[in-house]
Amino acid sequence: MKKPFLTLLFSLFTCMAFSQNHILPLWSGTPPLQTDMGLEEEVRQEGIIRIANVQKPTIEVYLPTKQIATGKAVVIFPGGGYGILAYDWEGTDFAKWLNAQGIAGIVVKYRLPISKSLTDPKEVPLMDAQRAIRLVRQNAAAWNIDPAKVGVMGFSAGGHLASTLSTQYNHEVNRPKDSIDALSARPDFSILVYPVISFRDASAHSGSRKNLIGENANQELMDRFSGELNVNAETPPTFLVHAQDDKGVPIENSLLYYQALHKNGVKASLHIYPTGGHGFGFGLNKGAVESWREVLLAWIEETLK
């Protein structure tokens, strides 16, 4: 296990030393579906950086040096049950690692539906996700990114958001529009890491479901936010990874989404590891799951040929 660990450390050090990063707001002024109540964001360092009560959503952009840039980009949605964001563990750490592979990593600090300032909470995470991918495409030339090679990556509840974006990228709500809205919000590929997918029955992650659509949501709303029910032939190619012993988000979530992708003729790659639990991140010292990132890189290369 020492060699992969040392390789990872070298990759992260290289990225921190040579990559470029900056932060951009998703929206100018008060974001849509939000009332300015003077609430403040909460940031806690508890082994990992946990962010709650996001009021000003942003993208944090990590760009590889031009000498190694591949033109590919991954928009990253950290997990946290729609209650917090595991911002470094499932966000910036991966953006830096992607930079070492010549891939731009863009971490989205999206608004969380439990915030009291939101007027229609269930719509807000998807709206922020759509805006994030459109902003990347708007800046593609300046950031040395191919606008046809922009994918998404989501962890746990962030995986639910990534799958919702992948199946509902054209969903609209009534709000003021600008020129950025003319750009496509469809990801070119999706990477779902121990994702929440279904809000139905035993497969549901009750915390994510409650935080996004409420405890007593009707069947129509549960179905709308169950990714496996919304896959069609236009859903992007997808890479899924899950651990069989995941006690937080049942493995059935990834299985259901893969089955829907396969049924609709969408290219998909499903990787199941016997151990790793929930929230394994890089998978360091977790056994075979530690190799999942190398498998992912090969899949991205094959998918974007």
Side-chain angles (χ1 to χ4, degrees):
M1 293 299 174
K2 288 184 178 180
K3 187 175 180 181
F5 180 70
L6 291 174
T7 301
L8 174 61
L9 283 180
F10 177 76
S11 296
L12 292 179
F13 174 79
T14 302
C15 288
M16 289 185 285
F18 299 109
S19 63
Q20 313 163 55
N21 72 292
H22 52 282
I23 297 174
L24 293 176
L26 285 183
W27 311 95
S28 59
T30 302
L33 301 187
Q34 183 172 322
T35 302
D36 188 356
M37 299 175 63
L39 300 179
E40 294 187 4
E41 179 177 294
E42 301 168 12
V43 182
R44 303 190 304 274
Q45 176 75 56
E46 299 175 345
I48 63 174
I49 296 173
R50 301 174 187 268
I51 300 179
N53 204 33
V54 174
Q55 300 298 304
K56 297 180 179 179
T58 62
I59 52 174
E60 186 164 356
V61 183
Y62 288 81
L63 301 177
T65 57
K66 288 186 178 181
Q67 289 85 346
I68 66 167
T70 62
K72 301 165 189 169
V74 176
V75 179
I76 305 169
F77 304 107
Y82 285 120
I84 61 100
L85 300 178
Y87 193 72
D88 53 352
W89 182 254
E90 295 172 344
T92 54
D93 285 353
F94 275 87
K96 295 169 187 174
W97 171 72
L98 286 165
N99 273 190
Q101 323 306 321
I103 302 171
I106 296 97
V107 184
V108 186
K109 187 173 72 174
Y110 56 93
R111 288 173 290 167
L112 299 161
I114 60 174
S115 174
K116 295 179 180 179
S117 64
L118 303 182
T119 58
D120 192 352
K122 71 181 185 302
E123 301 293 349
V124 167
L126 175 58
M127 180 187 300
D128 284 354
Q130 291 170 320
R131 185 70 169 188
I133 200 165
R134 285 174 172 142
L135 270 177
V136 173
R137 289 199 166 109
Q138 183 198 41
N139 290 281
W143 295 347
N144 201 26
I145 290 170
D146 183 341
K149 294 182 178 180
V150 180
V152 292
M153 182 181 205
F155 299 78
S156 194
H160 182 269
L161 180 54
S163 67
T164 303
L165 177 62
S166 296
T167 54
Q168 300 185 44
Y169 47 85
N170 283 329
H171 180 75
E172 294 188 7
V173 298
N174 185 22
R175 62 172 178 84
K177 301 292 179 65
D178 58 24
S179 60
I180 298 174
D181 290 302
L183 299 172
S184 173
R186 179 186 179 276
D188 295 302
F189 58 94
S190 299
I191 304 159
L192 308 181
V193 188
Y194 37 84
V196 176
I197 294 292
S198 184
F199 278 179
R200 307 175 90 207
D201 307 325
S203 298
H205 181 252
S206 58
S208 296
R209 182 173 66 185
K210 177 182 177 181
N211 285 340
L212 184 63
I213 61 175
E215 199 162 14
N216 300 307
N218 59 38
Q219 192 64 50
E220 182 180 0
L221 206 53
M222 286 191 286
D223 288 352
R224 181 194 155 194
F225 286 101
S226 292
E228 79 278 14
L229 302 181
N230 295 286
V231 170
N232 60 36
E234 300 304 315
T235 302
T238 303
F239 179 98
L240 297 120
V241 59
H242 221 121
Q244 191 175 359
D245 64 347
D246 191 329
K247 305 300 183 186
V249 175
I251 194 175
E252 283 75 15
N253 284 270
S254 285
L255 297 175
L256 286 168
Y257 198 70
Y258 176 81
Q259 289 169 350
L261 293 165
H262 180 63
K263 181 179 178 181
N264 283 274
V266 178
K267 290 183 178 181
S269 185
L270 173 63
H271 301 271
I272 304 298
Y273 293 88
T275 59
H278 188 67
F280 53 72
F282 281 108
L284 297 177
N285 300 316
K286 293 285 187 177
V289 74
E290 187 169 350
S291 66
W292 79 267
R293 289 167 292 113
E294 284 68 37
V295 179
L296 170 64
L297 292 175
W299 178 83
I300 293 174
E301 186 68 28
E302 176 66 24
T303 299
L304 297 182
K305 276 185 177 177

